[in-house]
Amino acid sequence: MSLKSSGTRSLVTLFLLTWLAMIAMPSFAAPAGEDTPDESLGAAPPEGGDGEGLEPGLEPPPLGKDSGGQPPASTPSKQDRSDLLRNVPLGDPAVRAELLNELYGKLRSARNATEAEPITEAIEQTWRRSGSDTVDLLMSRVDTLVLQADLDLALQVLDAVTELAPELSEGWHQRGLVHVMQNDTDQAITDLRRALAMEPNNYKALRDLGAVLQQNGDKRGALDSYRKALAINPFMEQTRRAEEQLSHDVEGRDI
């Protein structure tokens, strides 16, 4: 790429970011003291792809979502998550990595879904912190755009996110989910694998990669991805059911 084209691209990106920041600010104003944690993008399967082409009873878990099984007896509070995060500077990559390692250890030691819930919330909030206020704002804007079904603009924002913060696993993960919703499964798989290259313990990216691989007919690849996700977070019940069904299908007979 020439210096001229690179400079033009940077100017276009800067213009996009400035415009998005201006239109996004009112959407994210919250009352003082109100905790508004980022939520993971809740992607739906591609249109016409609700298990289509899969054997009956062998549907992948919903993309972007997973149930922890039975509702917990008591819902973990926001304070539980805040205590786990300890108000550390999540924008510092070294601090984030140290905190994530600690949280993954706590997740492995959790005895049930109720105990695991505030831990997974803390992990997923940490994933989304880039160290850049601009990138964090754009990631939040993506959630709104997807809810509004403006997938083209959501993808443009995620293109900017992955250019500004190529090391941010969640940027690639969310871009992969948007590609799924646009029925571009090949690009979705590429993005999800890039997310895992940045953060191998991103159990949601592993789960979603498994779902896309299963929809594409790669049963062995999907099974491997589900098992890796469950090894990190064993409390994803829909993923566990998908893994059990697919395990019987893949390993119960020659394919």
Side-chain angles (χ1 to χ4, degrees):
M1 180 182 297
S2 69
L3 291 176
K4 182 177 179 180
S5 60
S6 177
T8 301
R9 183 180 181 186
S10 298
L11 286 173
V12 171
T13 300
L14 179 60
F15 175 80
L16 173 65
L17 297 180
T18 302
W19 175 69
L20 286 170
M22 290 174 63
I23 64 174
M25 288 303 291
S27 303
F28 298 98
E34 181 177 343
D35 187 2
T36 54
D38 293 333
E39 297 292 339
S40 179
L41 177 65
E47 184 178 352
D50 301 306
E52 184 178 354
L54 299 177
E55 296 176 14
L58 202 61
E59 289 79 15
L63 288 168
K65 298 182 179 179
D66 208 322
S67 168
Q70 294 296 322
S74 60
T75 302
S77 68
K78 295 175 182 178
Q79 187 60 45
D80 294 330
R81 183 181 65 243
S82 297
D83 289 344
L84 288 166
L85 293 175
R86 303 193 313 274
N87 294 319
V88 298
L90 296 179
D92 184 324
V95 172
R96 287 177 68 254
E98 182 179 352
L99 177 61
L100 281 171
N101 285 335
E102 178 183 328
L103 291 171
Y104 291 137
K106 290 181 182 294
L107 183 57
R108 285 192 295 270
S109 301
R111 293 167 294 180
N112 51 55
T114 301
E115 195 172 299
E117 186 173 350
I119 302 171
T120 57
E121 288 179 352
I123 288 172
E124 290 158 23
Q125 184 174 338
T126 303
W127 283 344
R128 290 176 68 96
R129 296 297 180 86
S130 67
S132 163
D133 291 340
T134 299
V135 171
D136 291 349
L137 175 62
L138 292 176
M139 287 289 288
S140 295
R141 185 60 182 162
V142 169
D143 299 335
T144 302
L145 291 170
V146 170
L147 288 174
Q148 295 171 347
D150 194 345
L151 299 183
D152 289 338
L153 185 53
L155 189 57
Q156 289 180 48
V157 176
L158 286 165
D159 287 344
V161 167
T162 54
E163 181 178 343
L164 289 169
E167 75 290 344
L168 183 66
S169 175
E170 271 303 282
W172 297 102
H173 178 205
Q174 303 304 321
R175 199 174 85 154
L177 292 180
V178 172
H179 278 302
V180 172
M181 288 185 282
Q182 293 185 321
N183 295 312
D184 188 351
T185 55
D186 288 342
Q187 186 59 53
I189 289 170
T190 297
D191 284 351
L192 291 169
R193 284 178 170 156
R194 183 70 177 270
L196 292 166
M198 299 297 104
E199 176 51 73
N201 289 315
N202 189 329
Y203 49 82
K204 283 193 169 184
L206 281 165
R207 173 204 60 197
D208 294 338
L209 175 61
V212 178
L213 291 173
Q214 187 173 352
Q215 289 173 354
N216 275 7
D218 183 356
K219 297 179 180 180
R220 290 189 183 277
L223 182 60
D224 180 63
S225 195
Y226 289 151
R227 285 175 172 171
K228 287 178 179 177
L230 291 167
I232 302 163
N233 180 2
F235 302 103
M236 299 188 293
E237 290 302 318
Q238 292 176 341
T239 300
R240 184 168 297 283
R241 288 195 293 271
E243 185 274 334
E244 290 171 352
Q245 293 171 344
L246 197 56
S247 175
H248 180 269
D249 185 67
V250 171
E251 298 174 342
R253 59 182 172 82
D254 293 334
I255 61 172

Coordinates of all heavy atoms in Angstrom, one line a residue, residues 109 144 245:
S109 N -12.5 -23.5 39.2 CA -12.8 -23.9 40.6 C -14.2 -23.8 41.0 O -14.6 -24.2 42.1 CB -11.9 -23.2 41.6 OG -10.5 -23.4 41.3
T144 N -25.8 -1.6 19.7 CA -27.0 -0.8 19.3 C -27.3 -1.0 17.9 O -28.5 -1.3 17.5 CB -26.8 0.7 19.6 OG1 -26.5 0.8 21.0 CG2 -28.0 1.4 19.3
Q245 N -24.5 -34.4 21.9 CA -25.2 -34.9 20.7 C -24.2 -35.2 19.5 O -24.3 -36.2 18.8 CB -26.3 -34.0 20.2 CG -27.5 -33.8 21.2 CD -28.4 -32.7 20.9 OE1 -28.1 -31.8 20.1 NE2 -29.6 -32.7 21.5

